Amino acid sequence: MSSQAMDFDTLRQAMGDNYEKPEGPARNARAEQLLVEAEKLNIPLAVIQALGHQLKVYNYSSEKDKMFVPFARLLRMWDEHPEDFDEYEIHSLHWVFKWMSAGMLDQPHVPLASIEKWLGEMEHRYRLAGHSERAVRGAEFSVAAHLGDLDRAERAYAAWLAADRDNMADCHACELHSQGWWRAERDADAEALELWRPVLEGEYTCAHEPHTVLASSLLPLLRLGRVDEARAHHLRGFRLVRAMESMRGAYADHVEFCALSGNEARALELLTERPAYFTDSGDPRSKLDFMAVVALLMDRLTSLGLGEQTVPGPAGRAWTAGELAVHARGEALSLAARFDARNDTPYVSERARARMDQPPLVDRLPLGVRSTRPARTPVPAPPTSAVTRPAAEPDLSALLAEARRLSALRSPDAVEAWATVSRAAEGHELDVRDRAEMADHAAMGRGPEGGELFHRAAELYAVAGDPGEALAARARAAYVHALSGATQEALTAVSEPYEKVLALFAEGGTGVSQTASVLVGRARILMHRLDEAGDEAEARGVVVTDAEEAARELLALSEPHVADDVAVASRAAEAQAMLGELAARSGDAGAATELLSRAVQTFVAAGLPWFAVEYDSRLAGIALHLGDTEGAERAARAALDHGGTYLEPMGQAQLHLQLAEILGTTGQVRPAAEHALESAHWADEAGQAGTLGAWARHQLGGFLLRQGCWAEAAEVLESALPDLTAEMHGDGAIVQTRWWLGDCLTELGEHREAAEHWLRAADIARHWSEQRDHAMLAHLAAEALGHAGLTAEADQAYTRAGDLWRALGNVHGLVRSLRARAWAAARTDAGLDGARELMSLAVRECESAVEGASVAPDSPSGSPSGSWEDDDGDVSRRLVAELGHTHRQFGDLVARSVPEDAEEAVGQDAFEEALAHITQAISVFGSLGDDALDARTGAELAAGWLESDLRRPAAAGARARAVLSAYAGVEGDTAEARRAEAESLLGLAGAQEEQ
């Protein structure tokens, strides 16, 4: 910084610039430097404003304890020389009395007597200044609520609301937050949310609202079961508080929400983002809040068996969850004890303990953002005391009976039931049949690794005198061999069991069920061979024929017996499904649908709906391919219903995503988002957060965006982006995600960040053969850069977009990029001359395109205008309209370029030039008839105001009357607005004529 003292204006600008910087010590330090600069000026008001600036930045930081010194100095200056304060600074001084009241309350070293005395001082000074007692009663309420003096708090609360609102009252948003907080504290969650509604809906906002209301609403919403709103408020609200250092209390509310909704991993991520919150001591009250929820979270992790997991904590050492639980609880209770000692009540400690000891409100609330739940580790049971009777050993015969019952029903729980039998059978002698079934089901649980166990089961079945089941076990062994890639060897292996079981069945030596088990094993291998068949048509035809014959053989054997045996019914259904899959592969969608539907019906009728899931999903895909979205939705929902609780996490993720995409294609965006959310959750649970989970989040973000949930969509898309890769998800997914993110961030006012995403997406799209997306992204980035105040960067992006639009032959994009550059140029060194050049070029491009479009029907090549425009519609009329808008903007630009202090002659010349351009716009719009009525009358009125500025009231009045005539008998908002403006212009013209 220069050693030369600032002047007062420079100081004010520096304070304004500093206030726009992020909250934190750096901003505070700069405020301290600026106070030193103010003192050099020997101007009391400069010092007053610098002290006020210092107060503001301290209040909105982690160093709130520094507020008291500058305020004491300000108050002394006011008492000694009130004439040094201007009207704004007088208001500000009285305004920050409220900050001092809250600030004292938050500092346990400030005696309670001093706080009460301060309340009286505040009341006295407000009365002298003629202010309402509303702010005073609000401050008294805060003190009473903090002390736990509920009767006094209720009285002060009522007096606060009864007092008149004046310019010392907190803003509506802040008042509603405090009122709702109190209702929630008094167990009136629904009332609290109703009070907060205007803030949540954006009717009332301020620098820290709806930030704190969103945070405060989280637990009331969970307690009321309104989990969707709670999720939305977390995603939206955390985005607002993330970068604001002063909002440790609201940040703690978000950590608490995650800890109580099954999102412990997300809560740990939040702690990682703010390490300073563990140690910042300038605001003890918010530190107490933060450490209390840290203790809550760590106790939660410990209860899940994760006490030894490494977690983020205070700097200087590594922490486990168990260690941090003890430390955080100790810190919270120590701080609470300091407040209680000051207040002479146990209230703060009681509330801190209650907060730390809360039970979870929901087991798991999917948030949509990537956050894998920590694995639960069973907590060891306490040792059995000498007087406790040991639990009775499981009844092995009962376990065997249950396992056989589940096997007969073909239940997915059968494998685990036999595993339980196996564990219980240790040290017991089992007969050979029992051992055969245990080995058989153990093999089923091992998937492709179960071949050897299937052979062991076959040997035991043979010894037990069941040759049919032995052959079935060998067929199962052959099939899992095929799953390992050895399909030909598997076919060879299954051929002997296949021939033997047919012979045995013919002799009556085995039943339908065992025979069908062998036949289904062989048919599965042949179906598996289809995936390995090459493109050679003859060879593939043989494979298809073999598979079809095997499926039909299985169906012929099993179908007559579907009512007799569940296992046989499942074989018949699987045969139907195989034939349906073969029909689908051959392109016969109708036959595929019929056969797969029969398979599903057979499974469900047999009480085996979980086996129908795969085929429901296949039906959904076929229906969607045929354009039958209702059928696709019906089948996808059936898959989820039929899977029920038996679906593995990966299956849940896939089915929810399929239904989400189907619903999305039919415009059912809200339910589509719900299923995409479920898909993301289950993908995370399945350990596929970076693959299927990323894709589900990509889709979820798009659905949220389509609902206008900009903040929620941005959080989800930002969570998906790091996991999206060109290899796994494709370039298009990455470009689309960044495109959507740019849309969201623009709506949230984060223009620089939006431009960054659009530019990065454009850099990917520049390599695509089709360049429209590249051009659109460059254009969007240019608009965002312009909104961010980065004029030079915006011009570069517009130039890039314009070149691309020209190459694509899109005159609309080209002209709009030129117009945007012209508006920007007028604000740079290029000035009005540079802007005129760009607007003139835009006019020429439009005129050339209009001329080309007008001769297109007679040209030998058909329609040259097609090179300019690839959308449907009347090309020529749209280009004419674009020309009209360009002339209109040319005139507006010139008129607005006139400085307020310009000489009259300069202004007159500019207005004449602007009028000429707008008159051309009127003529162009007029050629389009009623289709351009609103555009033409808007230009007519703009011309009328220019006529008035040029002191031509008769011409201005004529234009106003023309607009009134054009809208005679026309209804609608635009017509009303045009008539009102025309009447205003007519009135001004009449007044000018009288003068």
Side-chain angles (χ1 to χ4, degrees), residues 868-879:
W868 285 106
E869 177 61 48
D870 56 9
D871 296 330
D872 293 333
D874 187 337
V875 174
S876 179
R877 293 179 67 81
R878 291 191 63 222
L879 289 170

Side-chain angles (χ1 to χ4, degrees), residues 684-829:
D684 289 350
E685 294 286 313
Q688 296 296 318
T691 51
L692 183 64
W695 181 253
R697 273 181 274 281
H698 163 82
Q699 295 281 33
L700 173 59
F703 294 137
L704 289 170
L705 179 145
R706 288 168 65 182
Q707 295 177 66
C709 302
W710 313 112
E712 298 160 61
E715 283 290 306
V716 170
L717 293 167
E718 286 171 348
S719 176
L721 194 55
D723 291 321
L724 293 171
T725 65
E727 295 74 21
M728 174 64 67
H729 307 96
D731 280 345
I734 299 172
V735 168
Q736 184 64 79
T737 299
R738 290 195 181 277
W739 196 323
W740 283 337
L741 259 173
D743 290 340
C744 293
L745 296 175
T746 295
E747 293 290 340
L748 296 171
E750 300 174 35
H751 300 294
R752 183 190 292 261
E753 295 78 4
E756 180 182 348
H757 282 293
W758 280 329
L759 287 172
R760 293 182 68 175
D763 284 342
I764 298 173
R766 71 190 305 170
H767 301 294
W768 295 352
S769 56
E770 168 53 55
Q771 287 291 284
R772 182 180 175 83
D773 285 343
H774 182 193
M776 279 294 301
L777 287 162
H779 200 117
L780 289 169
E783 290 180 353
L785 289 166
H787 287 303
L790 301 171
T791 306
E793 293 86 344
D795 186 69
Q796 291 176 358
Y798 274 126
T799 301
R800 174 181 176 183
D803 291 343
L804 290 164
W805 290 130
R806 187 187 298 279
L808 286 166
N810 188 315
V811 73
H812 299 284
L814 171 60
V815 167
R816 289 167 190 174
S817 66
L818 288 169
R819 291 199 308 241
R821 289 180 62 200
W823 281 102
R827 299 189 297 270
T828 66
D829 292 341

Side-chain angles (χ1 to χ4, degrees), residues 602-643:
T602 304
F603 277 128
V604 173
L608 306 171
W610 47 84
F611 286 123
V613 172
E614 177 183 351
Y615 310 113
D616 283 319
S617 180
R618 191 76 171 96
L619 280 167
I622 294 171
L624 196 60
H625 175 72
L626 295 173
D628 178 10
T629 53
E630 289 186 8
E633 180 183 343
R634 190 163 51 248
R637 290 190 184 280
L640 283 167
D641 290 342
H642 291 152

